[in-house]
Every structure is written in structure tokens, then in C-alpha cells.
């Protein structure tokens, strides 16, 4: 989101690290979007992954939200193009199915994502970080069969 976004790092398809970029304190949208984009790009630069995997934008949201999130996702995509980093997207429906999270209601799905990370990784995280971890795990389990890749 433009307020908080989770990230996760997997090395050789194994969980390595994760966190969140939290900009809830910045109330002005344009400043917050700029900071989110800059912080995402800085994180990609710092980690220097083989792949960047982003949750595919759900176009059923309202038009304003789609525009905001498109700009943020676009900044990650653009950074990957300029640094020749492989960029992939995976829909939330696909990654949830891969890791075994089922349900329809948003709050339930968020809690299941948190619970799964707590159970599997013994890590207490919010839904943003949990979703990032589960997304990366799903991507690694399906797309990455070779060793030596950071996602």
C-alpha cells in the first residue's frame, strides 16, 4: 500500500529476512508516494536480488487506489529494468493457493497469512510482512528450482 508495504528476502529459496516500509506518519499523499518509491528502490539496491517479485495489482479496487499503487509498483518495475534485475508479479489468489491459505474475507485472509508465518517461521509480523513472506515463498516453490537466487 502507499502507507505500509512488506518485503521479504529468500536466498536459495529459503527465508532470510523481512520487514516493512512504514510511512503511516506521512499524511500528504504525494510526499508519501515519493518516499515509498524511493525506499523501495533503495531496498532493492541494498539487497541486490536476482528477482523482485511483487503482488500483482488487484484492478477491482477503486480508480484512485489503482492509480496510486500503479505508480508505486511502476517505480519498482522501472528500477528493475534500469538495473537489469528480473521482475515478476504474482496475484494474491495464486500465491495464497500455493501456500494453502483459503478464504474470502479480507480480515480472515490477513490473519491466516500472519498465522502461517508465525507457525512456519516462528516470527510475529503484521499482515504486510506476512503477505510478503508468503508471496516470496510461493514464488520460490513454483518458479525457482535452481540454487543461488535471491528473491
Amino acid at each position: 500500500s502507499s502507507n505500509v508495504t512488506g518485503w521479504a528476502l529468500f536466498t536459495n529459496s529459503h527465508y532470510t529476512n523481512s520487514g516493512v516500509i512504514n510511512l503511516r506518519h506521512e499524511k500528504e499523499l504525494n510526499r508519501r508516494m515519493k518516499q515509498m518509491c524511493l525506499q523501495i528502490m533503495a531496498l532493492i539496491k541494498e539487497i541486490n536480488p536476482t528477482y523482485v517479485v511483487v503482488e500483482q495489482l488487484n484492478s477491482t479496487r477503486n480508480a484512485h487506489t489503482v492509480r496510486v499503487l500503479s505508480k508505486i509498483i511502476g517505480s519498482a518495475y522501472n528500477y528493475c529494468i534500469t538495473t537489469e534485475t528480473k521482475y515478476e508479479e504474482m496475484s494474491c489468489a495464486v500465491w495464497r493457493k500455493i501456500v494453502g491459505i483459503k478464504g474470502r474475507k479480507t480480515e480472515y485472509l490477513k490473519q491466516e497469512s500472519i498465522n502461517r508465518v508465525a507457525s512456519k517461521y516462528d516470527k510475529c509480523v503484521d499482515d504486510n510482512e506476512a503477505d510478503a513472506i508468503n508471496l516470496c515463498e510461493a514464488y520460490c516453490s513454483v518458479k525457482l528450482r535452481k540454487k543461488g537466487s535471491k528473491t
Side-chain angles (χ1 to χ4, degrees):
S1 81
S2 69
N3 290 304
V4 180
T5 195
W7 62 270
L9 174 65
F10 279 61
T11 305
N12 296 329
S13 297
H14 297 287
Y15 173 78
T16 306
N17 198 6
S18 60
V20 294
I21 299 171
N22 187 341
L23 297 175
R24 281 192 179 114
H25 64 278
E26 179 56 67
K27 299 302 179 199
E28 203 280 306
L29 178 61
N30 288 328
R31 277 197 302 262
R32 187 173 66 243
M33 282 177 43
K34 179 181 177 182
Q35 283 305 307
M36 184 62 75
C37 292
L38 290 171
Q39 288 189 36
I40 289 170
M41 291 185 291
L43 183 63
I44 296 169
K45 182 178 181 179
E46 177 187 331
I47 293 173
N48 191 28
T50 305
Y51 295 86
V52 170
V53 183
V54 176
E55 186 176 274
Q56 191 174 52
L57 182 58
N58 180 350
S59 62
T60 61
R61 298 171 184 249
N62 70 54
H64 173 74
T65 302
V66 169
R67 282 192 303 276
V68 168
L69 295 179
S70 293
K71 290 176 183 176
I72 293 169
I73 292 170
S75 71
Y77 178 63
N78 184 49
Y79 187 82
C80 289
I81 288 171
T82 60
T83 59
E84 297 185 3
T85 303
K86 295 175 182 133
Y87 175 92
E88 298 277 345
E89 293 183 0
M90 183 177 274
S91 76
C92 58
V94 169
W95 72 253
R96 284 182 182 132
K97 182 177 181 180
I98 292 167
V99 299
I101 296 175
K102 298 175 183 171
R104 286 188 139 345
K105 297 193 176 194
T106 302
E107 290 307 313
Y108 175 80
L109 293 169
K110 287 180 181 184
Q111 190 59 54
E112 286 299 297
S113 187
I114 292 167
N115 293 346
R116 186 178 184 286
V117 168
S119 174
K120 182 159 187 177
Y121 298 102
D122 195 29
K123 190 163 170 73
C124 183
V125 298
D126 73 3
D127 61 292
N128 298 288
E129 190 171 351
D131 285 354
I133 292 167
N134 287 316
L135 166 66
C136 282
E137 181 186 327
Y139 182 83
C140 289
S141 72
V142 171
K143 303 281 185 162
L144 298 180
R145 302 286 181 206
K146 59 187 175 193
K147 295 189 178 226
S149 296
K150 286 199 272 184
T151 305

